[in-house]
């Protein structure tokens, strides 16, 4: 049963303790030290003079307001408002309100009491800057709450799946966000963005995050066009097929995680982007990647046919993952990232069609000469096998040197071509002047014949000969 607080104000009903939200911590938990300090202060004040605490009347108003402003969870706010009138009078100065997933019991949520309580609390906090609602609520009440605090609201996060019964088929329930024209951060969970929302222009919006949404490419384009000054864009766990086109002049960080095995293309124009993580696209075109420092491209199902990024002179971290990539796409990215410092290659197969093909032969000398600044190399089966072909070491000579390589992680799944693999491992150790660590990970080796045992024995000998640098997992 919920707890009720009523001292001259309308009742606020708060339900059982909330379960933690795994994806993102609430604002009050963003700084645990601050929250613990506020809790200790509350306990100290509740002790009073007789209980060994300090008389709360001796604490200046500014100190009380500052400590209570660290709270945002509505359960904590309601509890503090019940202590005394002085503490209740601090509620209007709270900067944030967080309604956890189970803030209200089921009966309160179904009967509309939860909406009334949210409205009362939003109305009571006069300088509200951050509003986070994870609990079920009625979408028809959202315009009222946004209108009340449109002047001060800067951060808005909503779990829209809680109000699925109220959703309009055309996505018009998102239009009311236009009331909060001063928003700087907007995070929406479980929306349906199949039609462009009527947001006008949100010129102050810097952060946009949408999680778990069915999308239409035209709606995405129009929604992003309404936020021309974004620096952070995240579309995570979204379902879309077609062509996604994004053009943002100030974008610095971008995460695009699209589901499904269908073919989806991405065209991104972002001259100031520094970090880009994309998942689920078949064709990728990037314009303006001169400032890019971190690039991650993955596709867990289907194929990656083409990646066109242009030169990436400042790239430090590159991660390529997936089941099947066109070798032309792999080669294009590697050529554009000649100065990369950390390279992760976890692609299983090559090939432009349904047939899965191994990687073509890669010359070890040419590869490291093309990437002279490489310091950390995480290499998975197919790419390692490509460096272990018959002619991969044909250009080795005494003058060759891998100048910067310090750490290598190699995953081996097959004992085939064991002699060439051992030669490649020995070459990496011999010619890497600054090598500090080589980890050889034997994973899911399917060959159970003598060849596997012999290969593993040779690996152990190699580790013994280089025990200060090599480790086997």
């Amino acid at each position: 049963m919920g707890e009720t607080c009523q001292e001259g104000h309308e009742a606020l009903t708060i339900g059982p303790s909330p379960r933690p939200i795994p994806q993102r911590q609430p604002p009050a938990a963003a700084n645990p030290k601050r929250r613990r300090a506020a809790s200790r202060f509350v306990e100290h004040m509740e002790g009073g003079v007789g209980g060994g605490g300090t008389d709360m009347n001796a604490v200046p108003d500014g100190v009380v307001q500052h400590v209570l402003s660290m709270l945002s969870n509505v359960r904590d706010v309601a509890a503090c408002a019940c202590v005394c009138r002085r503490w209740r009078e601090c509620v209007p100065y709270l900067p944030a309100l967080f309604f956890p997933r189970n803030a209200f019991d089921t009966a309160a949520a179904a009967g509309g009491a939860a909406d009334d309580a949210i409205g009362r609390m939003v109305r009571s906090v006069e300088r509200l800057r951050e509003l986070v609602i994870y609990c079920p609520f009625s979408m028809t009440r959202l315009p009222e709450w946004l209108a009340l605090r449109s002047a001060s609201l800067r951060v808005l996060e909503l779990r829209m799946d809680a109000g699925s019964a109220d959703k309009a088929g055309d996505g018009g329930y998102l239009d009311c966000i236009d009331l909060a024209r001063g928003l700087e951060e907007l995070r929406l969970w479980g929306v349906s963005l199949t039609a462009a929302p009527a947001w006008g222009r949100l010129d102050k919006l810097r952060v946009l995050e949408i999680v778990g949404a069915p999308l239409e490419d035209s709606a995405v384009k129009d929604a992003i066009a309404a936020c021309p000054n974004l620096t952070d864009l995240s579309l995570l766990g979204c379902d879309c097929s077609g062509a996604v086109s994004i053009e943002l002049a100030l974008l610095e960080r971008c995460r695009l995680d699209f589901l499904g095995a269908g073919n989806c293309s991405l065209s991104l124009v972002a001259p100031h982007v520094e970090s880009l993580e994309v998942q689920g696209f078949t064709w990728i075109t990037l314009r303006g990647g001169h400032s890019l420092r971190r690039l991650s491209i993955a596709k867990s199902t289907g194929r990656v046919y083409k990646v066109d990024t242009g030169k990436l002179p400042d790239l430090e971290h590159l991660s390529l993952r997936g089941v099947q990539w066109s070798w032309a796409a792999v080669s294009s990215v590697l050529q554009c990232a000649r100065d990369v410092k950390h390279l992760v290659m976890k692609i299983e197969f090559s090939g432009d069609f349904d047939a899965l093909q191994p990687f073509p032969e890669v010359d070890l000398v040419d590869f490291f000469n093309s990437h002279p600044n490489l310091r950390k190399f995480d290499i998975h089966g197919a790419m390692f096998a490509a460096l272990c072909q018959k002619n991969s070491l044909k250009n080795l000579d005494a003058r060759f040197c891998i100048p910067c390589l310090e750490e290598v992680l190699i995953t081996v799944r097959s004992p085939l071509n064991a002699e060439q693999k051992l030669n490649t491992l020995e070459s990496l150790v011999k010619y890497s002047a600054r090598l500090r660590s080589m980890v050889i990970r034997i994973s899911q080796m399917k060959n159970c014949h003598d060849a596997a045992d012999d290969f593993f024995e040779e690996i152990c000998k190699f580790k013994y000969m280089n025990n200060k640098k090599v480790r086997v997992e």
Side-chain angles (χ1 to χ4, degrees):
M1 179 177 296
E3 303 165 3
T4 303
C5 165
Q6 189 171 12
E7 281 190 27
H9 284 199
E10 295 179 274
L12 298 179
T13 303
I14 306 298
S17 300
R19 291 196 299 265
I21 303 298
Q23 288 92 336
R24 182 176 183 268
Q25 290 185 335
N31 192 329
K33 291 183 178 179
R34 292 177 61 192
R35 182 166 182 172
R36 286 196 297 269
S39 298
R40 287 197 297 269
F41 174 81
V42 172
E43 293 172 359
H44 194 54
M45 292 296 98
E46 288 176 342
V49 177
T54 302
D55 185 356
M56 64 183 65
N57 293 323
V59 180
D61 290 343
V63 174
V64 175
Q65 289 181 8
H66 175 70
V67 173
L68 296 184
S69 70
M70 299 178 187
L71 304 176
S72 64
N73 191 305
V74 291
R75 294 180 59 85
D76 299 333
V77 173
C80 289
C82 291
V83 173
C84 64
R85 182 181 299 277
R86 186 185 183 204
W87 285 26
R88 187 171 63 246
E89 290 174 349
C90 294
V91 171
Y93 305 101
L94 295 177
L97 286 177
F98 167 63
F99 294 86
R101 184 68 171 172
N102 292 338
F104 306 98
D105 55 38
T106 305
D115 292 334
D116 294 337
I118 294 173
R120 284 195 297 272
M121 297 200 73
V122 170
R123 192 178 297 109
S124 65
V125 180
E126 298 176 357
R127 302 178 182 179
L128 187 63
R129 290 182 56 85
E130 181 172 359
L131 177 61
V132 180
I133 305 178
Y134 287 170
C135 64
F137 66 96
S138 174
M139 297 299 303
T140 58
R141 301 289 296 275
L142 183 61
E144 173 192 346
W145 305 333
L146 296 182
L148 281 170
R149 297 293 167 249
S150 60
S152 61
L153 196 62
R154 297 294 178 266
V155 179
L156 178 63
E157 180 168 354
L158 304 172
R159 287 194 70 122
M160 310 293 278
D161 55 347
S164 58
D166 300 311
K167 290 182 179 180
D170 60 356
Y173 58 94
L174 295 176
D175 294 349
C176 63
I177 292 175
D178 184 59
L179 295 171
R181 303 305 296 272
L183 277 181
E184 297 174 0
E185 300 182 20
L186 175 61
R187 297 179 176 89
L188 304 173
W189 295 34
V191 300
S192 176
L193 202 62
T194 55
W199 286 347
R201 280 178 64 92
L202 300 176
D203 290 323
K204 295 184 178 181
L205 195 66
R206 296 293 183 269
V207 178
L208 176 62
E209 181 175 315
I210 299 176
V211 181
L215 306 176
E216 289 290 341
D217 48 4
S218 58
V220 173
K221 182 177 181 180
D222 292 342
I224 293 176
C227 316
N229 298 318
L230 288 178
T231 59
D232 295 74
L233 173 64
S234 299
L235 304 177
L236 307 177
C238 297
D239 189 1
C240 180
S241 61
V244 177
S245 179
I246 299 173
E247 184 172 353
L248 290 168
L250 303 180
L251 189 65
E252 298 177 0
R253 290 162 290 275
C254 184
R255 298 169 62 201
L256 306 175
D257 179 9
F258 282 31
L259 306 176
N263 294 331
C264 189
S265 66
L266 169 66
S267 175
L268 176 63
V269 180
H272 296 289
V273 66
E274 297 179 359
S275 176
L276 175 61
E277 300 178 26
V278 297
Q279 149 74 28
F281 292 93
T282 303
W283 295 275
I284 301 170
T285 302
L286 171 64
R287 292 292 175 263
H290 299 290
S291 301
L292 194 63
R293 296 182 179 276
R294 183 182 183 88
L295 174 61
S296 175
I297 304 175
K299 187 168 175 61
S300 56
T301 58
R303 292 179 295 278
V304 176
Y305 283 113
K306 180 181 179 181
V307 179
D308 181 9
T309 62
K311 292 184 177 181
L312 305 172
D314 292 336
L315 192 66
E316 297 179 356
H317 182 278
L318 173 62
S319 174
L320 306 179
R321 303 170 185 264
V323 176
Q324 184 180 11
W325 280 51
S326 163
W327 180 247
V330 176
S331 301
S332 173
V333 179
L334 292 178
Q335 290 173 7
C336 293
R338 297 176 65 91
D339 296 318
V340 67
K341 295 180 176 62
H342 183 187
L343 176 60
V344 179
M345 289 284 296
K346 291 191 174 182
I347 303 172
E348 298 285 349
F349 300 99
S350 180
D352 295 328
F353 304 101
D354 292 338
L356 301 177
Q357 301 291 333
F359 279 16
E361 185 174 271
V362 176
D363 189 286
L364 184 139
V365 174
D366 289 344
F367 177 82
F368 282 101
N369 284 342
S370 300
H371 302 87
N373 298 322
L374 190 60
R375 296 179 182 177
K376 189 173 181 179
F377 194 12
D378 186 345
I379 179 174
H380 188 79
M383 185 64 183
F384 180 59
L387 290 169
C388 300
Q389 297 302 308
K390 181 178 180 180
N391 296 317
S392 295
L393 306 179
K394 65 179 181 181
N395 292 323
L396 280 177
D397 57 40
R399 295 170 298 175
F400 174 64
C401 178
I402 305 175
C404 297
L405 190 63
E406 298 177 355
E407 299 179 33
V408 181
L409 171 60
I410 300 173
T411 301
V412 183
R413 290 187 173 181
S414 170
L416 299 178
N417 204 11
E419 182 178 356
Q420 285 298 122
K421 289 179 179 179
L422 287 168
N423 289 338
T424 299
L425 293 174
E426 292 172 355
S427 299
L428 289 174
V429 172
K430 179 179 180 180
Y431 293 102
S432 299
R434 301 174 60 181
L435 186 67
R436 296 186 289 105
S437 171
M438 173 184 285
V439 177
I440 304 173
R441 182 171 295 162
I442 309 298
S443 174
Q444 300 177 358
M445 189 169 289
K446 299 178 181 179
N447 192 329
C448 298
H449 299 293
D450 293 340
D453 295 335
D454 294 342
F455 177 68
F456 189 74
E457 183 178 351
E458 293 298 324
I459 290 291
C460 291
K461 291 180 181 178
F462 173 73
K463 172 189 176 298
Y464 178 77
M465 297 298 294
N466 302 276
N467 60 348
K468 292 184 178 180
K469 297 181 179 180
V470 179
R471 186 173 79 252
V472 178
E473 293 181 354

